[in-house]
Amino acid sequence: MIINLAISGAVSLGIAVVPHSLRIAVVVAPWSPPRHVLDVIADAGGKVVRSSQVPWVALSEGMSPGYVQRLFSAGAVLVFDGSLFSAYRREALP
């Protein structure tokens, strides 16, 4: 029973964080230089929609095919659907 709960929880979490929209939250390593997340988004061909309270997370928008793969190639360690970004956001870019 515990294994079934763990599996269903992991599947639910996986579905929630997989990007389903044009807006994608991007996370880089916390020890990265300041504004590195902005460089990663730019290198992947996206645009920054909103920064966050922490310098290693930002909301991006990318419309071209392969955008998520390019984010990882540029240095992202995690990407997730932008709808989950609201907990990390702030109003203005640094």
Side-chain angles (χ1 to χ4, degrees):
M1 172 125 167
I2 292 176
I3 293 173
N4 287 339
L5 287 173
I7 291 172
S8 64
V11 169
S12 297
L13 179 63
I15 291 170
V17 299
V18 171
H20 293 100
S21 67
L22 296 177
R23 292 199 169 178
I24 298 171
V26 180
V27 180
V28 298
W31 53 85
S32 299
R35 301 182 59 90
H36 178 62
V37 69
L38 305 178
D39 294 334
V40 166
I41 292 168
D43 291 347
K47 74 174 189 174
V48 176
V49 175
R50 197 168 275 203
S51 63
S52 74
Q53 297 173 354
V54 293
W56 59 86
V57 180
L59 183 63
S60 73
E61 191 171 272
M63 297 186 287
S64 60
Y67 178 59
V68 171
Q69 290 79 16
R70 287 194 309 279
L71 285 169
F72 283 116
S73 294
V77 295
L78 178 67
V79 298
F80 55 93
D81 194 270
S83 62
L84 300 174
F85 184 77
S86 62
Y88 301 102
R89 70 181 183 159
R90 70 177 176 193
E91 293 306 314
L93 288 171

